[in-house]
Amino acid sequence: MRWTSCSPIYCRVQQRVWHGTYRRYSTNLQDLEVNGVRYQRDEFTNVRPSILSHLSRNIYLQPNHPIAIVRSLIENHFGSSFTPITSLPPIVTPRQNFDELEFPADHPGRRPSDSYYLNKDWMLRTHTSAHEIQVFRSGIPKWLLSADVYRRDEIDRSHYPVFHQMEGARVVEPVDMRQLAQENKELERALGKVNIEVEDLSSTGEKNPYQPWHNKEHALLVNANLKHSLNGMIYALFGNLAAQRGGKPLQVRWIDAYFPWTGPSYEVEVLFDGKWLEILGCGVMQQAALARSSVPSDRVAWAFGLGLERIAMVLFQIPDIRLFWSQDPRFLQQFSAGQVTQFKPYSKYPNSSKDISFWLKDVEVHENDVYDIVREVAGELVEEVKEIDRFTHPSTGRSSRAYRIDYRSMERTLTNDEVNTLHSEIGSRLRDLFSVELR
Ligand code: PHE
């Protein structure tokens, strides 16, 4: 099973089903060294050089890069009272990424089939929420944190194992609640004047409860502030685009969600080209998580996390997520700081589609293992990988799998020889690492 959608958001992961054992395929026994720090390999180690090579790219900090442009748009919208945080390194502990946020011990996101581990004690953050507790602990009341995050996932035009998130939060003290009520009125008034239609399908209350230990009035105010603030941000991002596309109102909807460290929790979707696009996850911070940051118990806070690629793909009309990593001037020179412009495709080079199928021998192969091998061998020369067959022979019980790999460069035409070499290397690695029998 895969993520149900290219979810930059974590609640959906619960719907995923785990099957089989995970077989590590790191055969190199030397310790890993990243930025001068050594990490001893163990049975969790699954991060590969192709992934680690992204740690130093920092595309979200290059002012003329679409990811950085979206980041700045959001930072400017929230204004200078929100402190931007952009320099936290991606290697965190599973405690930061999961435990401090109350992820249950058996949450699928923890599995090495889903996340990248340097070893059992260190991993690549899978979301910017991994830093919430430490930032709240620093006492900053309003902040926006942007960073690269890493997840093992499928391969297609909207999935890449590295992407970017922005986390935002606000902590409110009891003395500021009256002012918050006033601010909420103003935000509501401002939203009433613009062309946005917000449908609230959430059922805050019984199914998506407020926290019993909160002062109800304060929780309601913070919850309302979360909704108004994010609706305002979404309008700032997408309002123009909606106006250009025939002047229909920008349609936004709020639905219930579940995150272990917020309550109530929501997901927000925007209607785009007839499809609802999941933009962010958010909620009122669970008091237990805030207490872990030594935030006094009378404060109430909200937090959200959004995927920057997804927003940038819509705003700039960028058709393939691999383009964000392009170093081709034909891509990079199209964008400049502060401006949202339509990407002009420079050309579409031909693709070459090849199938690979194999019998499993005693070892379960997780599809994310196949995707990682494909990434390792062919990198950004692969546009999409699809599982096209999964079969178990009724009498022998042998299982087979088949995948279709679409090779396409965004920068040049690939030669047949080149594609054949890549394809057979993928086969050899599957054979060496998982003992599969190629068909
Ligand atoms: N970290 C969550 C995700 O990646 C989003 C989120 C952030 C949800 C903050 C609630 C609060 O899916």
Side-chain angles (χ1 to χ4, degrees), residues 8-10 127 129 132 151 165 167 259 261-262 281-282 303-305:
I9 309 294
Y10 244 137
H127 56 166
S129 304
E132 275 193 13
R151 287 185 198 173
Q165 285 191 329
E167 193 91 2
F259 302 105
W261 67 99
T262 54
C282 63
F304 71 85

Side-chain angles (χ1 to χ4, degrees), residues 200-211:
D200 195 342
L201 302 173
S202 65
S203 52
T204 321
E206 210 176 304
K207 276 202 254 142
N208 193 5
Y210 284 105
Q211 296 167 44

Side-chain angles (χ1 to χ4, degrees), residues 155 157 320 322 348-356 370-371 373-386 403-428 430:
I155 298 182
R157 274 177 224 90
D320 190 312
R322 292 174 296 165
K348 187 146 174 147
Y349 297 93
N351 82 325
S352 163
S353 184
K354 288 197 177 292
D355 295 351
I356 191 161
V370 177
Y371 303 145
I373 288 174
V374 171
R375 291 273 188 216
E376 189 68 20
V377 173
E380 278 138 47
L381 300 180
V382 170
E383 181 171 270
E384 182 161 12
V385 181
K386 271 200 290 262
Y403 291 86
R404 176 155 302 154
I405 306 180
D406 270 314
Y407 296 89
R408 189 199 308 265
S409 161
M410 285 172 299
E411 279 148 25
R412 62 197 170 82
T413 299
L414 299 172
T415 65
N416 278 339
D417 279 357
E418 198 175 5
V419 172
N420 289 338
T421 309
L422 293 170
H423 200 67
S424 66
E425 175 64 20
I426 291 168
S428 318
L430 281 166

Side-chain angles (χ1 to χ4, degrees), residues 316-337:
F316 294 86
Q317 293 293 290
I318 293 174
D320 190 312
I321 195 165
R322 292 174 296 165
L323 281 161
F324 292 116
W325 298 95
S326 171
Q327 319 234 35
D328 190 326
R330 287 174 298 175
F331 177 76
L332 293 173
Q333 287 177 359
Q334 292 196 26
F335 308 104
S336 41

Side-chain angles (χ1 to χ4, degrees), residues 133-246:
I133 302 305
Q134 88 195 75
V135 180
F136 281 127
R137 189 175 293 128
S138 73
I140 305 172
K142 298 176 177 181
W143 49 268
L144 295 168
L145 184 162
S146 309
D148 39 336
V149 299
Y150 297 76
R151 287 185 198 173
R152 301 187 72 196
D153 213 336
E154 56 201 277
I155 298 182
D156 64 27
R157 274 177 224 90
S158 58
H159 290 78
Y160 198 79
V162 190
F163 59 99
H164 295 82
Q165 285 191 329
M166 182 187 268
E167 193 91 2
R170 174 173 188 181
V171 187
V172 189
E173 296 185 32
V175 291
D176 293 331
M177 288 294 174
R178 279 186 64 186
Q179 201 198 318
L180 193 72
Q182 188 55 34
E183 206 186 298
N184 283 348
K185 278 203 195 108
E186 280 158 25
L187 284 168
E188 203 171 2
R189 203 174 308 131
L191 280 164
K193 286 195 200 137
V194 297
N195 208 8
I196 184 172
E197 212 171 83
V198 180
E199 199 180 354
D200 195 342
L201 302 173
S202 65
S203 52
T204 321
E206 210 176 304
K207 276 202 254 142
N208 193 5
Y210 284 105
Q211 296 167 44
W213 33 82
H214 275 158
N215 171 320
K216 187 69 186 279
E217 192 195 338
H218 293 179
L220 286 168
L221 286 169
V222 170
N223 189 67
N225 185 255
L226 168 70
K227 291 191 171 177
H228 296 326
S229 304
L230 294 182
N231 286 329
M233 175 197 75
I234 289 170
Y235 186 75
L237 288 172
F238 296 102
N240 265 344
L241 209 62
Q244 283 162 17
R245 302 203 165 191

